[in-house]
Amino acid sequence: MQTPERLIPSLFTCIQEGYDLKTFRQDIIAGLTVAIVALPLAMAMAVASGASPDKGLVTAVVAGFFISFLGGTRVQIGGPTGAFVVVIFDVIARYGFDGLIVASVMAGILLIVAGYARLGKLIKYIPYPVITGFTTGIAVIIASSQVKDFLGLTFTDVPAEFIEKWMAYFKHLDETSIYALGLGLLGFAIIAISKKVSAKIPAYLVSIVAVSLIAFLFSLPVDTIGSRFPQMPNGLPMPTLPSLTLDEIRNLIPSAFTIAFLAGIEALLSAVVADSMTGYKHSLNQELIGQGVANIASGFFGGLPATGAIARTATNIKSGGKTPISGIFHALFLLVFLYTIMDILAYIPMAGLSAVLFMVAWGMSDIKHFVQISKISPSDRTILFLTFSLTVFVDLTVAIGVGVTFASLLFMRHMSKSIEIRPHMRLSEYDANDGENSKEVEIPEGVNVFQINGPLFFGVANELCDRLKGLDILPRILILRMRFMPYLDASGEASIEEIVKICKEHHSYIIFAAMRQQPRDLLKKAGITPDTTDAAFVQDFPTAIKLAQKLMDDPDFVRRHQDI
């Protein structure tokens, strides 16, 4: 029996293993490096989500601290990410920022429950085409939302729908500001060049500082954080609890599930990247608990939903981070920034933040894998484009639900095609090198053998009955060879129960051969046992053949099992 996973935060594990001064110095340096990288990203994510930049910093401080303090990954860096932009924007537009706080807290509770219920592994079963489809769709939406600021357009009522938004952009294209466009292109170029020169350069920060200095020194007439958000507070706000009606809270449940789902997916992807870079193994269930507490705390402090950030986690590792202490210092350094440099941050041009978000969107888009999946198979391509299209043109929640459902249905369809229910007249690929059979088996007259190759589940359960009903004459003995049937569900059990009923009505005898433990236990619970059914259960197929031959040689048996 497998031992349940121990739910212990990685921080405590690292301390128990021993923590020295050298590791402490490495964690501090890595924490400062990641804080510098996270500073512009946190603000940009908040702006893209329809919130003020300080909300992003609050999220990186509060959620980043708890993700490192209670998470199950040694070097995970948490904060606001692009995955949440679409759902956050939608929640704020519908229910205001109070609605977002409630949704974040509810998502946090769901993550904690999932962690303690050890449901973390279920996240691994989300099909890759679904993940790629909606992350690429999110990237397209993020990039689309930044066109207005990148071009310096001045109109205010930006439609939420994708097509209408682009129609509005084209309509107001004559309002393009050459100054904003120039700063955006410069910021974009600085990021791209910095990343090519060296991965150690904080490209986003260098870009933001450069375009801000140019805009300030030349007094360029462009929109800035200060002009867009004139009342940005300094420091960490006091925890608050919003007041919403029961109906509003009920309406937020789908959004809470979406936030929890995205947090789990992003945390898993980031943890896998961290494991591959460090050689350590994460605890996904403990990570979900840490993510849950982080989202609850972020909500109470007026922050945004958060999860593990892949790029920031990778930066932490490359900067020498060894333990969750580096993530805690990352949050503490950002807290210092929040109290000391908010007035300076007000000079950042919105076009500069747009350039950062364009690069974030490009990194999220995963174009290489998008193209690769689209070439693999028609079913994967269908799931990919369906999820992508629904994400961009309809709704993220709908995209995830439909994508996963459609992928599951296609998988079951493929599985049902791979299941083989056939009369045993020749050896199949399942019999090759099988100790039970090395040559053709002679089937006694009056005996039929059905061999089930694969799991008997609801996708193929009816076929077993159809095969039996399709026989011109029911045999006196029916052998169900189940050696190659690893799994049986309720629908499969119902089909076997129907076969037992049909055989009883026609005086046919059933022999269950080589049944595995899971199907045997399920049939026992359903009341199909040797004591309750006119049937035999034998350990292997040769024994079933010998028993069938013995019964057919018994005149009393033949007389009792004649057709009526």
Side-chain angles (χ1 to χ4, degrees), residues 147-183:
V147 173
K148 176 178 177 291
D149 287 336
F150 193 81
L151 298 178
L153 306 181
T154 56
F155 73 100
T156 55
D157 297 327
V158 182
E161 292 75 17
F162 182 79
I163 295 177
E164 287 79 356
K165 182 179 296 183
W166 277 96
M167 290 176 63
Y169 289 156
F170 285 116
K171 181 179 179 181
H172 294 273
L173 205 57
D174 58 331
E175 301 174 4
T176 300
S177 167
I178 190 67
Y179 301 107
L181 179 59
L183 288 176

Short mmCIF file of all heavy atoms in Angstrom, two decimals, residues 147-183:
data_model
loop_
_atom_site.label_atom_id
_atom_site.label_comp_id
_atom_site.label_asym_id
_atom_site.label_seq_id
_atom_site.Cartn_x
_atom_site.Cartn_y
_atom_site.Cartn_z
N VAL A 147 -2.57 47.44 -27.03
CA VAL A 147 -2.41 48.23 -28.25
C VAL A 147 -2.72 49.69 -28.02
O VAL A 147 -2.02 50.59 -28.51
CB VAL A 147 -3.29 47.65 -29.38
CG1 VAL A 147 -3.29 48.56 -30.60
CG2 VAL A 147 -2.83 46.25 -29.76
N LYS A 148 -3.75 49.97 -27.24
CA LYS A 148 -4.17 51.36 -26.98
C LYS A 148 -3.04 52.16 -26.34
O LYS A 148 -2.70 53.26 -26.80
CB LYS A 148 -5.40 51.37 -26.08
CG LYS A 148 -5.86 52.76 -25.66
CD LYS A 148 -7.12 52.67 -24.81
CE LYS A 148 -7.55 54.04 -24.33
NZ LYS A 148 -6.59 54.61 -23.34
N ASP A 149 -2.44 51.63 -25.28
CA ASP A 149 -1.37 52.36 -24.59
C ASP A 149 -0.09 52.38 -25.44
O ASP A 149 0.66 53.36 -25.41
CB ASP A 149 -1.08 51.71 -23.24
CG ASP A 149 -2.18 51.99 -22.22
OD1 ASP A 149 -2.89 53.00 -22.37
OD2 ASP A 149 -2.33 51.18 -21.28
N PHE A 150 0.17 51.31 -26.17
CA PHE A 150 1.38 51.26 -27.00
C PHE A 150 1.34 52.33 -28.09
O PHE A 150 2.36 52.93 -28.42
CB PHE A 150 1.50 49.87 -27.62
CG PHE A 150 2.85 49.58 -28.24
CD1 PHE A 150 3.92 49.20 -27.46
CD2 PHE A 150 3.03 49.70 -29.61
CE1 PHE A 150 5.15 48.93 -28.02
CE2 PHE A 150 4.26 49.43 -30.19
CZ PHE A 150 5.33 49.05 -29.38
N LEU A 151 0.14 52.55 -28.63
CA LEU A 151 0.00 53.57 -29.69
C LEU A 151 -0.34 54.95 -29.13
O LEU A 151 -0.35 55.94 -29.87
CB LEU A 151 -1.09 53.15 -30.68
CG LEU A 151 -0.85 51.85 -31.45
CD1 LEU A 151 -2.04 51.54 -32.35
CD2 LEU A 151 0.43 51.92 -32.26
N GLY A 152 -0.64 55.00 -27.82
CA GLY A 152 -0.98 56.29 -27.21
C GLY A 152 -2.35 56.79 -27.60
O GLY A 152 -2.60 58.01 -27.64
N LEU A 153 -3.30 55.89 -27.91
CA LEU A 153 -4.66 56.29 -28.29
C LEU A 153 -5.36 56.89 -27.08
O LEU A 153 -5.15 56.46 -25.94
CB LEU A 153 -5.43 55.09 -28.84
CG LEU A 153 -4.77 54.34 -30.00
CD1 LEU A 153 -5.65 53.18 -30.46
CD2 LEU A 153 -4.49 55.29 -31.17
N THR A 154 -6.24 57.84 -27.32
CA THR A 154 -6.83 58.61 -26.22
C THR A 154 -8.29 58.25 -25.93
O THR A 154 -8.85 58.72 -24.94
CB THR A 154 -6.75 60.12 -26.53
OG1 THR A 154 -7.38 60.38 -27.79
CG2 THR A 154 -5.30 60.57 -26.59
N PHE A 155 -8.93 57.46 -26.77
CA PHE A 155 -10.34 57.15 -26.51
C PHE A 155 -10.46 56.29 -25.26
O PHE A 155 -9.56 55.51 -24.91
CB PHE A 155 -11.00 56.49 -27.73
CG PHE A 155 -10.58 55.07 -27.98
CD1 PHE A 155 -11.38 54.00 -27.58
CD2 PHE A 155 -9.38 54.79 -28.63
CE1 PHE A 155 -11.01 52.70 -27.83
CE2 PHE A 155 -9.00 53.49 -28.88
CZ PHE A 155 -9.81 52.44 -28.48
N THR A 156 -11.57 56.41 -24.56
CA THR A 156 -11.71 55.79 -23.23
C THR A 156 -12.53 54.51 -23.22
O THR A 156 -12.20 53.56 -22.51
CB THR A 156 -12.36 56.79 -22.25
OG1 THR A 156 -13.59 57.26 -22.80
CG2 THR A 156 -11.41 57.97 -22.00
N ASP A 157 -13.60 54.46 -23.97
CA ASP A 157 -14.49 53.30 -23.93
C ASP A 157 -13.97 52.18 -24.83
O ASP A 157 -14.35 52.07 -25.99
CB ASP A 157 -15.91 53.71 -24.36
CG ASP A 157 -16.52 54.72 -23.41
OD1 ASP A 157 -16.21 54.63 -22.20
OD2 ASP A 157 -17.29 55.58 -23.86
N VAL A 158 -13.07 51.37 -24.26
CA VAL A 158 -12.50 50.26 -25.03
C VAL A 158 -13.41 49.04 -24.87
O VAL A 158 -13.63 48.58 -23.76
CB VAL A 158 -11.09 49.91 -24.54
CG1 VAL A 158 -10.49 48.78 -25.37
CG2 VAL A 158 -10.19 51.15 -24.60
N PRO A 159 -13.96 48.51 -25.96
CA PRO A 159 -14.84 47.34 -25.85
C PRO A 159 -14.10 46.14 -25.25
O PRO A 159 -12.90 45.97 -25.46
CB PRO A 159 -15.26 47.07 -27.29
CG PRO A 159 -15.01 48.35 -28.02
CD PRO A 159 -13.84 48.99 -27.34
N ALA A 160 -14.83 45.31 -24.54
CA ALA A 160 -14.23 44.12 -23.94
C ALA A 160 -14.07 42.99 -24.96
O ALA A 160 -13.13 42.20 -24.87
CB ALA A 160 -15.07 43.65 -22.76
N GLU A 161 -14.98 42.89 -25.92
CA GLU A 161 -14.95 41.80 -26.89
C GLU A 161 -13.77 41.98 -27.85
O GLU A 161 -13.43 43.10 -28.23
CB GLU A 161 -16.26 41.73 -27.68
CG GLU A 161 -17.45 41.30 -26.86
CD GLU A 161 -17.96 42.39 -25.93
OE1 GLU A 161 -17.59 43.57 -26.17
OE2 GLU A 161 -18.69 42.08 -24.98
N PHE A 162 -13.19 40.88 -28.27
CA PHE A 162 -11.95 40.90 -29.05
C PHE A 162 -12.13 41.62 -30.39
O PHE A 162 -11.37 42.54 -30.72
CB PHE A 162 -11.48 39.47 -29.28
CG PHE A 162 -10.18 39.37 -30.03
CD1 PHE A 162 -8.97 39.57 -29.38
CD2 PHE A 162 -10.16 39.06 -31.39
CE1 PHE A 162 -7.77 39.47 -30.07
CE2 PHE A 162 -8.97 38.96 -32.08
CZ PHE A 162 -7.78 39.17 -31.42
N ILE A 163 -13.12 41.23 -31.16
CA ILE A 163 -13.31 41.81 -32.49
C ILE A 163 -13.68 43.28 -32.40
O ILE A 163 -13.13 44.14 -33.11
CB ILE A 163 -14.38 41.02 -33.28
CG1 ILE A 163 -13.89 39.59 -33.54
CG2 ILE A 163 -14.70 41.71 -34.59
CD1 ILE A 163 -14.90 38.71 -34.24
N GLU A 164 -14.62 43.60 -31.49
CA GLU A 164 -15.05 44.99 -31.32
C GLU A 164 -13.88 45.87 -30.86
O GLU A 164 -13.77 47.03 -31.24
CB GLU A 164 -16.19 45.09 -30.32
CG GLU A 164 -17.54 44.60 -30.84
CD GLU A 164 -17.67 43.09 -30.82
OE1 GLU A 164 -16.68 42.40 -30.47
OE2 GLU A 164 -18.75 42.58 -31.18
N LYS A 165 -13.00 45.29 -30.03
CA LYS A 165 -11.84 46.04 -29.55
C LYS A 165 -10.93 46.44 -30.71
O LYS A 165 -10.50 47.60 -30.81
CB LYS A 165 -11.07 45.19 -28.54
CG LYS A 165 -9.87 45.88 -27.92
CD LYS A 165 -9.19 44.96 -26.91
CE LYS A 165 -10.13 44.70 -25.74
NZ LYS A 165 -9.48 43.88 -24.69
N TRP A 166 -10.66 45.48 -31.61
CA TRP A 166 -9.79 45.79 -32.74
C TRP A 166 -10.47 46.73 -33.73
O TRP A 166 -9.79 47.57 -34.36
CB TRP A 166 -9.36 44.50 -33.44
CG TRP A 166 -8.19 43.87 -32.75
CD1 TRP A 166 -8.21 42.88 -31.81
CD2 TRP A 166 -6.82 44.23 -32.92
NE1 TRP A 166 -6.93 42.60 -31.38
CE2 TRP A 166 -6.06 43.39 -32.06
CE3 TRP A 166 -6.16 45.17 -33.72
CZ2 TRP A 166 -4.66 43.49 -31.97
CZ3 TRP A 166 -4.77 45.25 -33.64
CH2 TRP A 166 -4.04 44.42 -32.77
N MET A 167 -11.78 46.64 -33.86
CA MET A 167 -12.48 47.59 -34.71
C MET A 167 -12.34 49.01 -34.15
O MET A 167 -12.16 49.98 -34.91
CB MET A 167 -13.96 47.20 -34.80
CG MET A 167 -14.21 45.92 -35.60
SD MET A 167 -15.95 45.40 -35.61
CE MET A 167 -16.70 46.80 -36.46
N ALA A 168 -12.40 49.14 -32.82
CA ALA A 168 -12.22 50.45 -32.19
C ALA A 168 -10.79 50.96 -32.40
O ALA A 168 -10.59 52.17 -32.64
CB ALA A 168 -12.54 50.36 -30.70
N TYR A 169 -9.80 50.07 -32.33
CA TYR A 169 -8.42 50.49 -32.57
C TYR A 169 -8.26 51.07 -33.97
O TYR A 169 -7.66 52.14 -34.17
CB TYR A 169 -7.47 49.30 -32.40
CG TYR A 169 -7.30 48.83 -30.97
CD1 TYR A 169 -6.91 47.52 -30.70
CD2 TYR A 169 -7.52 49.67 -29.88
CE1 TYR A 169 -6.74 47.07 -29.40
CE2 TYR A 169 -7.36 49.23 -28.59
CZ TYR A 169 -6.97 47.92 -28.35
OH TYR A 169 -6.80 47.49 -27.06
N PHE A 170 -8.79 50.36 -34.96
CA PHE A 170 -8.67 50.83 -36.34
C PHE A 170 -9.43 52.15 -36.55
O PHE A 170 -8.99 53.01 -37.32
CB PHE A 170 -9.17 49.76 -37.31
CG PHE A 170 -8.22 48.62 -37.49
CD1 PHE A 170 -8.56 47.33 -37.09
CD2 PHE A 170 -6.97 48.82 -38.06
CE1 PHE A 170 -7.68 46.27 -37.25
CE2 PHE A 170 -6.07 47.77 -38.22
CZ PHE A 170 -6.43 46.49 -37.82
N LYS A 171 -10.55 52.28 -35.85
CA LYS A 171 -11.34 53.50 -35.99
C LYS A 171 -10.59 54.72 -35.47
O LYS A 171 -10.71 55.83 -36.02
CB LYS A 171 -12.66 53.33 -35.25
CG LYS A 171 -13.59 54.52 -35.34
CD LYS A 171 -14.89 54.26 -34.59
CE LYS A 171 -15.82 55.46 -34.66
NZ LYS A 171 -17.08 55.21 -33.90
N HIS A 172 -9.81 54.53 -34.39
CA HIS A 172 -9.10 55.65 -33.75
C HIS A 172 -7.61 55.64 -34.08
O HIS A 172 -6.82 56.27 -33.36
CB HIS A 172 -9.29 55.57 -32.23
CG HIS A 172 -10.70 55.77 -31.79
ND1 HIS A 172 -11.24 57.02 -31.55
CD2 HIS A 172 -11.69 54.87 -31.56
CE1 HIS A 172 -12.51 56.88 -31.17
NE2 HIS A 172 -12.80 55.59 -31.17
N LEU A 173 -7.23 54.97 -35.14
CA LEU A 173 -5.82 54.86 -35.47
C LEU A 173 -5.17 56.22 -35.77
O LEU A 173 -3.97 56.40 -35.54
CB LEU A 173 -5.65 53.94 -36.69
CG LEU A 173 -4.31 53.23 -36.86
CD1 LEU A 173 -3.98 52.40 -35.63
CD2 LEU A 173 -4.31 52.36 -38.11
N ASP A 174 -5.97 57.17 -36.21
CA ASP A 174 -5.44 58.50 -36.51
C ASP A 174 -5.02 59.26 -35.25
O ASP A 174 -4.35 60.30 -35.32
CB ASP A 174 -6.47 59.32 -37.29
CG ASP A 174 -7.78 59.47 -36.53
OD1 ASP A 174 -8.11 58.55 -35.73
OD2 ASP A 174 -8.47 60.48 -36.73
N GLU A 175 -5.39 58.76 -34.07
CA GLU A 175 -5.02 59.40 -32.80
C GLU A 175 -3.65 58.95 -32.30
O GLU A 175 -3.20 59.38 -31.23
CB GLU A 175 -6.07 59.09 -31.72
CG GLU A 175 -7.48 59.55 -32.06
CD GLU A 175 -8.48 59.07 -31.01
OE1 GLU A 175 -8.04 58.46 -30.00
OE2 GLU A 175 -9.69 59.29 -31.19
N THR A 176 -2.98 58.10 -33.05
CA THR A 176 -1.70 57.53 -32.60
C THR A 176 -0.71 58.63 -32.23
O THR A 176 -0.50 59.59 -32.98
CB THR A 176 -1.09 56.65 -33.70
OG1 THR A 176 -1.98 55.58 -34.00
CG2 THR A 176 0.25 56.08 -33.25
N SER A 177 -0.11 58.48 -31.04
CA SER A 177 0.91 59.42 -30.57
C SER A 177 2.29 58.92 -30.98
O SER A 177 2.69 57.81 -30.62
CB SER A 177 0.84 59.55 -29.04
OG SER A 177 1.99 60.21 -28.53
N ILE A 178 3.01 59.73 -31.72
CA ILE A 178 4.34 59.35 -32.18
C ILE A 178 5.28 59.17 -31.01
O ILE A 178 6.20 58.35 -31.02
CB ILE A 178 4.89 60.38 -33.19
CG1 ILE A 178 6.15 59.87 -33.86
CG2 ILE A 178 5.14 61.71 -32.48
CD1 ILE A 178 5.92 58.68 -34.75
N TYR A 179 5.03 59.94 -29.91
CA TYR A 179 5.89 59.85 -28.72
C TYR A 179 5.67 58.52 -27.99
O TYR A 179 6.62 57.85 -27.59
CB TYR A 179 5.62 61.02 -27.78
CG TYR A 179 5.84 62.36 -28.42
CD1 TYR A 179 4.77 63.19 -28.77
CD2 TYR A 179 7.15 62.81 -28.69
CE1 TYR A 179 4.98 64.42 -29.36
CE2 TYR A 179 7.36 64.06 -29.28
CZ TYR A 179 6.27 64.85 -29.61
OH TYR A 179 6.49 66.07 -30.20
N ALA A 180 4.39 58.18 -27.80
CA ALA A 180 4.09 56.91 -27.13
C ALA A 180 4.58 55.72 -27.96
O ALA A 180 5.19 54.78 -27.42
CB ALA A 180 2.59 56.80 -26.88
N LEU A 181 4.33 55.77 -29.26
CA LEU A 181 4.76 54.69 -30.13
C LEU A 181 6.28 54.55 -30.12
O LEU A 181 6.82 53.45 -30.06
CB LEU A 181 4.27 54.93 -31.55
CG LEU A 181 4.66 53.89 -32.61
CD1 LEU A 181 4.16 52.50 -32.23
CD2 LEU A 181 4.14 54.30 -33.99
N GLY A 182 6.97 55.70 -30.14
CA GLY A 182 8.43 55.67 -30.12
C GLY A 182 8.97 55.08 -28.82
O GLY A 182 9.89 54.25 -28.84
N LEU A 183 8.38 55.48 -27.69
CA LEU A 183 8.82 54.93 -26.40
C LEU A 183 8.52 53.43 -26.32
O LEU A 183 9.32 52.65 -25.79
CB LEU A 183 8.12 55.66 -25.24
CG LEU A 183 8.58 57.10 -24.98
CD1 LEU A 183 7.73 57.73 -23.87
CD2 LEU A 183 10.06 57.13 -24.57
#
